[in-house]
Amino acid sequence: MKEKISNDLSYIKAGYRSDKWKWVLSLSQNSASLPVTKTKVKAHTTPDEDVGGTGEAPAEDEPPVQKESPPNSEISQPEENVSAPELFKEEQITFEHIMKTFGLDKPPKNLPCPKKCSNNPWCLAELKSGAGKERARPTDQPRDPTKPVGLQNTANTCWINSALQALFHLPKFRNVINSIGGFAGEESLSTMLYLLQAIFVEMDTHPNKAIACSPGSLFEKIGMFATQEIMRKDADHEVLKCVSEFLENTIDTLIADPRLGPELSPLFSTSLMRLARWKCPVCKIDHESQLAPATSYTMAAYVSADECPLDQCLVDLQTETQTGVSLICGSESSGSGGCGAQVKVDRVVTPKIQGLPTILVIRNNSLMDRDLKRRLHVVYPETLDLTSHTLSHVAATYTLSAVIFHHGHWVKHFSAHVRTNGNKWYNFNDEQVSELTNRSTTGNPSESHRNYFSIANVANKYKHRPGLRVSRGSFVWVYVLSPTAEEETVTTPPPEAVVEYVLRKQEESMTVNHQLQAEIKREKETLLGQLAVTDILEEYELISESLLSAWFNCDDLEYKPQPSLLAQPLCEHKLFSPRKFHLLKCIRKESLQSLLSDRCGVHQDEALKKLSLPISMSPDSGCCRQCLAKAVNHILFIERVKSLHKQAKKDARKPHDGPTVVLGLETLEYWPRLALSAYVKENGIDTEEDDSENNLDTSKKTDDLTKSSSNSGSGSSGVHVNGDKCDNGEVKSEVEDKDVASSCDTSSSVPENDDFACDNRTGNAEAERDQVDDDKSKLDACSEVKDASSSKAKDAKETVTNELTLFNEDLVCQHNLLSPTIGSCRIPKVLATEITQLCGESVHPAVFQDDFSTCPDCGAKLEESVRACDSGRQQKKQLSNLFQERKRPHPMRDPGKQVYAVSREFVVRWKSYIRSCERGDLEVCPLTKLENSSLLCTHGQLLFPVFSLQPHQLSEYLVLVWEEEWEILKAIYPPDHVITAVYNESAILTTEPVSQSEAVNTSPSTHLSSRPSASSWLLPG
């Protein structure tokens, strides 16, 4: 069933899930505040306008259904437009509106608020009471030696952390790094080689769950080195490129080292040979030549279509056509032979892989495209086969090792999914490391995972497809060449000098000043108490609740916030979004400077200052009035559509004196979806934020969600953190009709010499029994396929819904004319014109044709259906016992009476036809003939032993009808095969033609003694 339209006509269902927006409804009473779409569309006139409007009033409970086409009338475009109400503008927003939107209009009676209110912007008691304070950080928790370690994010190092995790879990890369000696302590850490050696030892031996990036640590050194290199190359400071740049710079730096180059270069180097083909327009000779080879350490991918496979996105392996290339036919560069003419041709260049890398790094360049309006899903396999792209078709199978994901839009964050040595997948999100236990070994992580970045309905398509994953946030893929059976991986241990240095540094860092930590916590509690608002009249500002919570629970002396925390409550204009009021807290303005200047307060580094993300703002200046006005107009538009929809359904139930317009009943019910879709598209409403208020406690319950998803098993997908709605109406791939027919139709399996087979069936009993077994197997297979087909058809009927995509689309038949079989109603022309304007361009173009009239072909089909319905009703009266399957021939009551056998398949389709006639369907499909071929084999004999089946077993295949019923059926539906039957005195059913088992026996005496038992036949069910 289609989803109720009432869900679309509720501003709460549209994402405004709070009473904070009730004040907007009062604006709808003012006609000047009602918005419409920005695009001015001329009023469309739908077909068959009734100027007189003399139709009779239909029943009050439903709109009238007109099954006959109304009189033709000329379709014309009106010159006037319906006056459009003005939009709600930013200048109309008052301070009172802002206070209501952010929930600041009703402060608590007692300030500061002593309660632990989770959704109260005035209350800081929840933070002050120590919510989350007792929870130990991963950098202080002991580590399970069997699990990998996390890396702390300080000064925006998430991209370095993700890249290091991907490199660390590449055994062959680590072996090459560890093979070099010469480490001499602190002075060696100025080179990337020894820095990686020490970092990998630290990640392998660290005792805690996460490694803290303390001053002077290894990770601070590599962070400074990487940041300087990246920012020096990237003048725009585009953080999105940093992770790929870091990987490329690291590989280039290491390969440039003469001690590493010979061994490391084959691991990443991809050698491409480009083959050029062209044809000389003068001599007509086809030329093929090799262009200059290319070598690279990474491969680029560009996703140009949604759900595009990764192997089709590889730019370096795509065939290109070069137009207007000047060449000399017969030169060395053009190939052997030729006329020597200088020509301009179009040549096709096909790249082929000449040298395979052991480690294949692929970067997603489409995420860096500023012109790309939205992110596209890419389908990437766990096993990537590039054999077809190699020069000599050498086996090139790669196994997925790591995926680096990109979060957000203009604020960047990275995390990674990495396969470890134990063939387990882990999610590395800086300090947080969690095993992906909610995924199978060959399937996708659950779409409820916060780092999965895939719309739920797209993720559902690939959740149960082994070996395939899909995401719209994957930025870097790392594949490893699948090893052969002869290869053995030998682990190279790191140099002893590096291990000794790292272990000594770990012992020094384990000395913790607990007294200093206690002092820091006391100072933060004092600061938090000063930040709480004590009087409603004093000046206050709004700040991110996540920022306050992260600062208060941090044990470091200087807290440097992540850009993602500052960006959570902001809109695209870097102001507080009115849709994210639940992410804000009120603090005293005079205490804000103490928060920013205290040694235990919030400190911004240079990289954070360059992003210009505000820490706090006042409600008046910090509220984005542009986003607020857009939200108000959206709500008012929904209310306007709701009012017009109610008015249209009301007017469809009564007659009108003025001009009217014909609407399809489906259009009358579902046109608001077209209007709302057009408004969202034209006004740039971000649908990804529609459920932002619904996810009010998402950030607070992340750990609980992870635990619940892992405990519930791989099938758990109940929470969608991204806010994407799940669409379960996905249709599985269906079997082609011709394949089903070939597997079910036993009559098509004719032997090469049919005459020989029939003539010898009495002389070769063993061969005939084999033939019977084959036909019996075919019958069982046929039953199974039919059951599967009917099950699929039933599921498809329940899940697939034909959504209305164009206004009055339901009135148009397949010939682009007015369908006489569709129910319709009439509404006033003025109301129809206003509704059509709201739908924009989503109006079926066929209704504007000059010759748009009732379709004669569909009219003839309708008349034929009416006659078929009359015939069906008459058949039910004549064959009422057969329709209800009562008073059927019985072996004990009716011995010796001749009856006829009709296939169960025909009876089922006949009953369906009768029922459609009783319902009065506008389109019915009467049967043409009585088919009994499904009961017979290729030799014209029954496929099953009727004499050994009980009546309830026999009814699964056929239905016995009386002679009077047979005469009626035969007169209406010519039979393809006539099967007579009779019960003898022993209550055994005998038929003509006989079953195969009866044909095997040569005499009636052997017929009764050697007939097979019912248990020897495989019966369905």
Side-chain angles (χ1 to χ4, degrees):
M1 294 179 61
K2 292 184 179 180
E3 187 179 357
K4 292 183 178 180
I5 194 65
S6 58
N7 294 334
D8 299 75
L9 297 177
S10 172
Y11 75 93
I12 297 178
K13 295 291 183 180
Y16 305 92
R17 298 174 181 267
S18 174
D19 56 354
K20 305 295 186 298
W21 297 94
K22 284 186 177 180
W23 62 271
V24 181
L25 302 183
S26 61
L27 301 177
S28 61
Q29 300 176 359
N30 184 0
S31 60
S33 301
L34 293 177
V36 293
T37 53
K38 294 180 180 178
T39 304
K40 294 184 178 180
V41 183
K42 278 193 174 183
H44 301 307
T45 305
T46 50
D48 305 327
E49 297 180 1
D50 183 12
V51 179
T54 58
E56 297 181 359
E60 294 182 358
D61 55 344
E62 61 180 6
V65 179
Q66 301 180 8
K67 298 183 180 178
E68 296 184 0
S69 58
N72 248 355
S73 61
E74 184 178 356
I75 307 300
S76 60
Q77 294 284 351
E79 297 179 358
E80 72 280 2
N81 285 333
V82 177
S83 58
E86 296 180 358
L87 292 173
F88 185 84
K89 300 179 182 179
E90 301 177 28
E91 295 77 12
Q92 298 176 257
I93 299 176
T94 63
F95 184 71
E96 182 182 0
H97 294 157
I98 297 176
M99 297 291 287
K100 290 182 178 179
T101 302
F102 286 98
L104 304 175
D105 56 327
K106 297 179 181 179
K109 293 182 179 179
N110 299 322
L111 288 176
C113 181
K115 301 179 181 179
K116 301 177 182 178
C117 310
S118 58
N119 299 329
N120 185 359
W122 301 93
C123 181
L124 302 182
E126 183 183 16
L127 299 176
K128 191 174 182 180
S129 63
K133 186 175 65 174
E134 301 298 332
R135 182 180 58 193
R137 300 176 58 189
T139 52
D140 300 327
Q141 294 178 343
R143 170 191 173 192
D144 185 353
T146 61
K147 295 183 179 181
V149 69
L151 304 177
Q152 188 183 34
N153 186 348
T154 42
N156 307 323
T157 58
C158 57
W159 49 282
I160 302 178
N161 296 343
S162 301
L164 287 177
Q165 295 287 4
L167 293 175
F168 175 75
H169 292 92
L170 295 173
K172 293 185 178 181
F173 176 75
R174 288 178 59 190
N175 287 342
V176 175
I177 296 298
N178 292 336
S179 63
I180 306 300
F183 181 79
E186 291 286 345
E187 60 271 15
S188 299
L189 296 179
S190 59
T191 62
M192 178 62 73
L193 168 62
Y194 294 118
L195 196 56
L196 285 179
Q197 279 187 354
I199 286 176
F200 288 166
V201 173
E202 179 83 6
M203 295 173 66
D204 196 20
T205 61
H206 197 76
N208 293 337
K209 288 185 177 181
I211 303 175
C213 185
S214 57
S217 65
L218 298 172
F219 293 92
E220 186 186 51
K221 295 179 183 298
I222 196 172
M224 294 175 61
F225 175 81
T227 303
Q228 292 174 0
E229 289 294 320
I230 297 303
M231 294 306 178
R232 181 177 59 83
K233 284 190 173 184
D234 191 1
D236 296 333
H237 303 293
E238 177 55 63
V239 189
L240 182 57
K241 301 178 183 179
C242 59
V243 65
S244 60
E245 292 284 354
F246 174 68
L247 287 173
E248 294 175 0
N249 289 347
T250 301
I251 296 172
D252 293 339
T253 303
L254 294 175
I255 292 179
D257 192 327
R259 297 172 296 177
L260 287 173
E263 294 187 19
L264 196 61
S265 179
L267 291 183
F268 295 96
S269 177
T270 303
S271 179
L272 294 178
M273 179 62 70
R274 299 184 297 165
L275 302 178
R277 296 181 178 88
W278 58 281
K279 186 175 183 178
C280 178
V282 179
C283 61
K284 307 300 182 183
I285 295 179
D286 293 326
H287 296 273
E288 180 175 345
S289 60
Q290 294 184 358
L291 303 181
T295 303
S296 62
Y297 299 122
T298 60
M299 194 172 291
Y302 191 89
V303 185
S304 57
D306 201 28
E307 301 181 42
C308 184
L310 178 60
D311 57 345
Q312 298 180 14
C313 302
L314 299 178
V315 179
D316 299 332
L317 300 181
Q318 291 179 355
T319 300
E320 63 174 335
T321 302
Q322 299 177 350
T323 59
V325 181
S326 298
L327 297 173
I328 299 177
C329 181
S331 63
E332 295 181 1
S333 61
S334 62
S336 61
C339 60
Q342 184 173 359
V343 294
K344 283 190 176 182
V345 297
D346 297 341
R347 66 179 180 182
V348 178
V349 179
T350 304
K352 291 292 182 180
I353 303 177
Q354 191 175 19
L356 292 172
T358 304
I359 301 173
L360 178 62
V361 180
I362 305 173
R363 65 183 184 277
N364 188 354
N365 285 352
S366 59
L367 289 186
M368 295 184 289
D369 191 349
R370 296 181 181 270
D371 296 332
L372 198 63
K373 299 302 181 183
R374 66 185 184 94
R375 295 190 170 195
L376 301 175
H377 293 84
V378 57
V379 180
Y380 54 98
E382 294 188 352
T383 301
L384 181 64
D385 190 1
L386 300 179
T387 304
S388 60
H389 295 281
T390 58
L391 188 61
S392 303
H393 285 80
V394 180
T397 304
Y398 288 84
T399 304
L400 184 64
S401 176
V403 184
I404 298 178
F405 294 95
H406 169 251
H407 307 234
H409 294 276
W410 53 273
V411 173
K412 317 302 178 186
H413 180 63
F414 293 92
S415 65
H417 288 174
V418 182
R419 180 169 57 88
T420 60
N421 292 334
N423 203 25
K424 294 181 179 180
W425 282 90
Y426 284 86
N427 170 54
F428 294 92
N429 188 13
D430 294 331
E431 300 178 9
Q432 304 296 330
V433 178
S434 58
E435 184 180 356
L436 296 178
T437 54
N438 57 345
R439 66 179 296 277
S440 62
T441 56
T442 57
N444 282 313
S446 172
E447 65 272 11
S448 64
H449 200 285
R450 62 173 181 170
N451 295 324
Y452 188 47
F453 315 112
S454 182
I455 296 178
N457 59 345
V458 178
N460 284 336
K461 296 181 183 180
Y462 300 91
K463 185 166 59 175
H464 301 295
R465 296 186 186 181
L468 289 180
R469 303 187 187 184
V470 61
S471 175
R472 57 177 178 169
S474 50
F475 182 55
V476 175
W477 299 271
V478 180
Y479 283 89
V480 178
L481 187 64
S482 301
T484 60
E486 294 79 11
E487 290 187 35
E488 294 184 3
T489 304
V490 180
T491 303
T492 302
E496 295 183 1
V498 179
V499 177
E500 292 177 0
Y501 171 82
V502 172
L503 294 179
R504 185 175 67 254
K505 287 294 183 180
Q506 288 179 3
E507 292 178 0
E508 295 175 359
S509 64
M510 293 301 293
T511 305
V512 181
N513 191 344
H514 297 284
Q515 183 179 359
L516 178 61
Q517 286 190 352
E519 185 179 349
I520 292 173
K521 291 181 180 180
R522 286 194 299 269
E523 290 187 19
K524 288 188 175 182
E525 289 181 357
T526 303
L527 277 177
L528 189 64
Q530 295 175 359
L531 292 175
V533 178
T534 58
D535 189 356
I536 190 63
L537 299 178
E538 62 182 347
E539 294 185 5
Y540 58 89
E541 292 198 354
L542 298 177
I543 193 172
S544 170
E545 179 184 7
S546 302
L547 173 63
L548 279 181
S549 177
W551 160 74
F552 188 77
N553 295 322
C554 179
D555 295 330
D556 296 337
L557 182 62
E558 292 186 359
Y559 172 72
K560 297 179 180 180
Q562 300 300 318
S564 57
L565 290 178
L566 297 178
Q568 279 186 5
L570 303 181
C571 66
E572 58 183 338
H573 310 105
K574 295 187 180 182
L575 295 173
F576 288 140
S577 172
R579 305 283 295 274
K580 300 177 181 178
F581 64 88
H582 53 280
L583 300 178
L584 299 173
K585 289 289 186 180
C586 297
I587 60 173
R588 297 172 62 192
K589 185 175 181 179
E590 62 180 20
S591 301
L592 177 62
Q593 188 61 32
S594 300
L595 178 66
L596 300 179
S597 59
D598 193 274
R599 65 166 189 165
C600 299
V602 178
H603 301 271
Q604 300 186 70
D605 54 12
E606 293 300 326
L608 191 60
K609 291 180 180 179
K610 291 179 181 179
L611 293 176
S612 302
L613 298 178
I615 291 182
S616 66
M617 291 180 288
S618 65
D620 192 13
S621 62
C623 173
C624 183
R625 295 176 178 267
Q626 183 176 348
C627 292
L628 180 57
K630 182 187 294 187
V632 170
N633 287 326
H634 190 201
I635 295 176
L636 294 178
F637 183 84
I638 294 174
E639 293 299 315
R640 181 188 181 200
V641 170
K642 181 178 179 180
S643 176
L644 291 177
H645 183 248
K646 182 178 180 180
Q647 183 65 35
K649 296 184 72 174
K650 182 179 179 181
D651 290 346
R653 299 188 180 100
K654 59 184 180 181
H656 305 279
D657 297 332
T660 59
V661 173
V662 176
L663 260 67
L665 293 184
E666 188 176 2
T667 297
L668 177 67
E669 181 67 23
Y670 295 105
W671 69 263
R673 288 181 180 170
L674 301 178
L676 293 174
S677 177
Y679 182 86
V680 167
K681 180 179 179 181
E682 295 181 10
N683 291 272
I685 303 295
D686 191 359
T687 56
E688 294 184 1
E689 292 185 0
D690 282 351
D691 291 340
S692 60
E693 297 179 24
N694 188 31
N695 297 331
L696 187 137
D697 294 329
T698 297
S699 59
K700 299 180 181 180
K701 301 180 180 179
T702 301
D703 297 334
D704 297 337
L705 291 177
T706 306
K707 293 179 181 178
S708 63
S709 61
S710 61
N711 294 334
S712 59
S714 59
S716 175
S717 58
V719 182
H720 305 287
V721 181
N722 292 340
D724 299 320
K725 298 182 179 179
C726 178
D727 183 12
N728 294 326
E730 181 199 355
V731 184
K732 304 293 183 182
S733 57
E734 299 180 356
V735 182
E736 296 183 359
D737 295 340
K738 59 182 181 181
D739 295 335
V740 175
S742 63
S743 61
C744 294
D745 189 5
T746 58
S747 62
S748 61
S749 305
V750 182
E752 294 180 358
N753 194 345
D754 193 27
D755 296 336
F756 177 81
C758 292
D759 292 340
N760 289 276
R761 67 175 182 267
T762 57
N764 192 346
E766 294 295 331
E768 187 61 25
R769 288 192 182 95
D770 294 340
Q771 179 67 26
V772 171
D773 293 339
D774 293 340
D775 286 331
K776 176 165 61 65
S777 300
K778 293 175 183 178
L779 178 65
D780 296 338
C782 177
S783 300
E784 294 175 2
V785 173
K786 287 178 180 177
D787 294 341
S789 301
S790 61
S791 177
K792 287 183 179 180
K794 183 178 180 181
D795 294 341
K797 185 176 181 180
E798 293 176 355
T799 56
V800 178
T801 58
N802 295 325
E803 294 292 342
L804 188 71
T805 57
L806 295 175
F807 187 86
N808 261 349
E809 180 184 30
D810 52 331
L811 283 180
V812 183
C813 70
Q814 58 183 348
H815 310 104
N816 281 335
L817 294 174
L818 182 61
S819 175
T821 63
I822 300 299
S824 61
C825 62
R826 292 184 177 276
I827 63 173
K829 179 182 176 181
V830 176
L831 179 60
T833 303
E834 186 175 3
I835 291 175
T836 310
Q837 279 188 337
L838 299 183
C839 294
E841 299 179 354
S842 300
V843 181
H844 201 288
V847 300
F848 304 116
Q849 299 177 132
D850 294 336
D851 57 345
F852 186 72
S853 57
T854 304
C855 179
D857 296 336
C858 294
K861 186 177 180 180
L862 176 62
E863 295 178 0
E864 183 179 351
S865 298
V866 172
R867 291 192 296 267
C869 286
D870 294 339
S871 175
R873 298 187 187 97
Q874 184 65 24
Q875 292 177 37
K876 184 183 178 183
K877 292 181 181 179
Q878 296 176 341
L879 303 171
S880 59
N881 290 335
L882 176 61
F883 181 80
Q884 300 177 8
E885 293 195 34
R886 61 182 182 181
K887 298 181 181 180
R888 296 298 89 202
H890 194 272
M892 305 302 296
R893 294 195 306 263
D894 307 303
K897 295 183 180 180
Q898 180 174 336
V899 294
Y900 293 84
V902 179
S903 68
R904 167 62 64 180
E905 182 181 357
F906 169 80
V907 174
V908 170
R909 289 191 288 114
W910 177 73
K911 285 184 177 181
S912 177
Y913 158 63
I914 297 298
R915 292 190 184 98
S916 64
C917 295
E918 287 186 318
R919 291 192 301 265
D921 293 351
L922 298 180
E923 294 184 7
V924 296
C925 299
L927 284 66
T928 56
K929 63 179 180 179
L930 195 156
E931 297 181 356
N932 279 335
S933 58
S934 60
L935 302 177
L936 305 177
C937 68
T938 56
H939 309 121
Q941 300 169 3
L942 287 179
L943 282 171
F944 45 86
V946 294
F947 51 81
S948 61
L949 299 180
Q950 297 296 326
H952 68 278
Q953 297 173 325
L954 193 64
S955 63
E956 296 180 7
Y957 303 100
L958 53 82
V959 177
L960 297 178
V961 300
W962 297 105
E963 186 173 1
E964 297 81 5
E965 296 172 335
W966 174 259
E967 294 298 329
I968 297 175
L969 289 174
K970 183 175 66 173
I972 303 174
Y973 310 108
D976 57 354
H977 296 89
V978 178
I979 304 176
T980 60
V982 62
Y983 282 110
N984 57 21
E985 298 297 334
S986 302
I988 297 177
L989 183 66
T990 59
T991 60
E992 179 62 35
V994 297
S995 63
Q996 289 181 341
S997 57
E998 292 179 290
V1000 172
N1001 298 282
T1002 56
S1003 64
S1005 60
T1006 59
H1007 164 73
L1008 294 177
S1009 61
S1010 61
R1011 70 184 185 184
S1013 62
S1015 60
S1016 65
W1017 292 82
L1018 298 177
L1019 301 177

